[in-house]
Amino acid sequence: MLKTFLSALLLSAAMTAAAQQTAYRYWTDNDASTLRQGRAAEGSFSVGADLGRLSPGVHALHLQVSRDGHAWSAPLTRYFTVAALQPQPTACRYWFDNDVSTLHNLTGLEPTVSVDLRGLKAGLHALHFQTVADGIGPSAVLTRYFYLKDDPADELTLTAWFDAGRSQAQTFTYTGDDITLTTDHLRRGLHTVTAELRNSQGDLLAADSLEFEVVRYKTIRLTGFATTYCADDDLDFTSVEGLRAYIIAGFNRHSYEVTALRIDDAPAFEGLYIEGEPGDYRVRCSDSYSVYANLLRGTTESLLVRPVEEDYVNYVLSPDADTATFVPLTRPTYVEPSTAWLHLPAPADRSRPLRIVYGDEPDAIRNVTSPDAPAAVYTLSGRRLPPPSRGAMPKGVYIVDGKKVVID
């Protein structure tokens, strides 16, 4: 009989007073004829729902609870799928080295199958295995490789290494079981693993190589809505939902504002300003070919930063409940690893915080413009330019509507 068990604690939307709710009833697919009732001895309970009469497909389970068996709660509905029962395998077959003439058929499938190796020569072989079930035919073919020794007492060794690093090869006693190699020391990108199988006399019995890719990720944690960040690898933000990365590309010494420009990728050791909902985000490491004029300095280790360096002032991020600002350091401070700080020419008032504005958004309403007003144009240093026509702009690299544009 098919049953499912529903934890009452997981169904809290209808059971906020679960400690006193001891009676329950449930039915499926809005069909009153399937109604079942019961009582629970405890406030937290499980319901054994009889689903044996349901056909394969999507169904709805409706549940109500009650303190006294009369005043029922609103129905809580959950959807589930009943899978079609798969026929069990009744037979199996195997063969060697893609040679169907070696096919062996076995009936009365047992948990352990004995494989006949008689007739095979010493060396490397492939075993192909398949199960058969009535009504649905054979399964996919499972292939495993093994080495048949001349002398059962002969010890085989497997030597493996990455790329051209044979001098750092690892050697294992080969038993036919899988060998695990760590890739933690490899840089991201394409690599090759090479393996050689030898007997106790050192004779090469088999060799093969395989190309694979190592993918790395960095985890960025937001405890508030904004933070600074710096990584020791290039980062790609294009596929990260809910996370926005910026550089600080400009500084207005009169309005005490810094201009944030959103970016899609960041080179290693670039200081970044990050916004998003609190949580952990996995960002893929991927080659970046961008170069930014960025006023943020980043570090991947704890670093002592002084408030003033010659004619420059250092600022750190100080987020509050609604907005994020950069505030000046008042004493030498160790900044945390994987963070960033602002390094700016000293303004008239060195104690004043800096407000963040965005290069592709207006920071105030100056006047009313028509819908076809010229785009906002900035230099890479963050200085806003008058809006000339594209053809009248000198050669160079500009930020137009938050995007990098090259005029040549």
Coordinates of all heavy atoms in Angstrom, one line a residue, residues 362-374 384 387:
P362 N 20.3 59.9 -12.4 CA 20.5 61.3 -11.9 C 20.5 61.3 -10.4 O 19.9 60.6 -9.7 CB 19.2 62.0 -12.4 CG 18.2 60.9 -12.6 CD 18.9 59.6 -13.0
D363 N 21.4 62.2 -9.9 CA 21.5 62.3 -8.4 C 20.7 63.4 -7.9 O 20.6 63.6 -6.7 CB 23.0 62.5 -8.0 CG 23.6 63.8 -8.7 OD1 22.9 64.4 -9.5 OD2 24.8 64.1 -8.5
A364 N 20.0 64.2 -8.8 CA 19.0 65.2 -8.3 C 18.2 65.7 -9.6 O 18.6 65.4 -10.7 CB 19.8 66.4 -7.7
I365 N 17.1 66.3 -9.3 CA 16.3 66.9 -10.4 C 16.7 68.3 -10.7 O 16.5 69.2 -9.9 CB 14.8 66.8 -10.1 CG1 14.4 65.4 -9.8 CG2 14.0 67.4 -11.2 CD1 12.9 65.2 -9.4
R366 N 17.5 68.5 -11.8 CA 18.0 69.8 -12.1 C 17.0 70.6 -12.9 O 16.7 71.7 -12.7 CB 19.3 69.6 -13.0 CG 20.3 68.7 -12.3 CD 20.9 69.3 -11.1 NE 22.0 68.5 -10.6 CZ 22.6 68.7 -9.4 NH1 22.2 69.7 -8.6 NH2 23.6 67.9 -9.0
N367 N 16.4 69.9 -13.9 CA 15.4 70.6 -14.8 C 14.6 69.5 -15.5 O 14.9 68.3 -15.4 CB 16.0 71.6 -15.8 CG 17.1 70.9 -16.6 OD1 17.2 69.7 -16.6 ND2 17.9 71.7 -17.3
V368 N 13.6 69.9 -16.2 CA 12.8 69.0 -17.0 C 13.4 68.9 -18.4 O 13.6 69.9 -19.0 CB 11.3 69.5 -17.0 CG1 10.5 68.5 -17.9 CG2 10.8 69.6 -15.6
T369 N 13.6 67.6 -18.8 CA 14.2 67.4 -20.1 C 13.2 66.6 -21.0 O 12.3 65.9 -20.4 CB 15.5 66.6 -20.0 OG1 15.3 65.4 -19.4 CG2 16.5 67.5 -19.3
S370 N 13.3 66.6 -22.2 CA 12.5 65.8 -23.2 C 12.9 64.4 -23.1 O 14.0 64.1 -22.7 CB 12.6 66.4 -24.6 OG 13.9 66.3 -25.0
P371 N 12.1 63.5 -23.6 CA 12.4 62.1 -23.5 C 13.6 61.7 -24.4 O 14.3 60.7 -24.1 CB 11.1 61.4 -24.1 CG 10.1 62.3 -23.8 CD 10.7 63.7 -24.0
D372 N 13.9 62.5 -25.4 CA 15.1 62.2 -26.3 C 16.3 63.0 -25.9 O 17.2 63.4 -26.7 CB 14.7 62.5 -27.7 CG 14.3 63.9 -28.0 OD1 14.1 64.6 -27.0 OD2 14.1 64.3 -29.1
A373 N 16.4 63.4 -24.6 CA 17.6 64.1 -24.1 C 18.8 63.3 -24.3 O 18.8 62.1 -24.3 CB 17.4 64.5 -22.6
P374 N 20.0 64.0 -24.5 CA 21.3 63.2 -24.7 C 21.6 62.4 -23.5 O 21.3 62.6 -22.4 CB 22.3 64.3 -24.9 CG 21.5 65.6 -25.2 CD 20.2 65.4 -24.6
R384 N 31.9 64.1 -15.6 CA 30.8 64.2 -16.5 C 31.1 65.2 -17.6 O 31.6 66.3 -17.3 CB 29.5 64.5 -15.8 CG 28.3 64.5 -16.7 CD 27.0 64.4 -15.9 NE 25.9 64.2 -16.8 CZ 24.7 63.9 -16.4 NH1 24.4 63.6 -15.2 NH2 23.7 63.7 -17.3
P387 N 27.0 67.0 -23.2 CA 26.5 65.9 -24.1 C 26.7 66.3 -25.6 O 25.7 66.7 -26.2 CB 25.0 65.9 -23.7 CG 24.7 67.2 -23.2 CD 25.9 67.8 -22.6

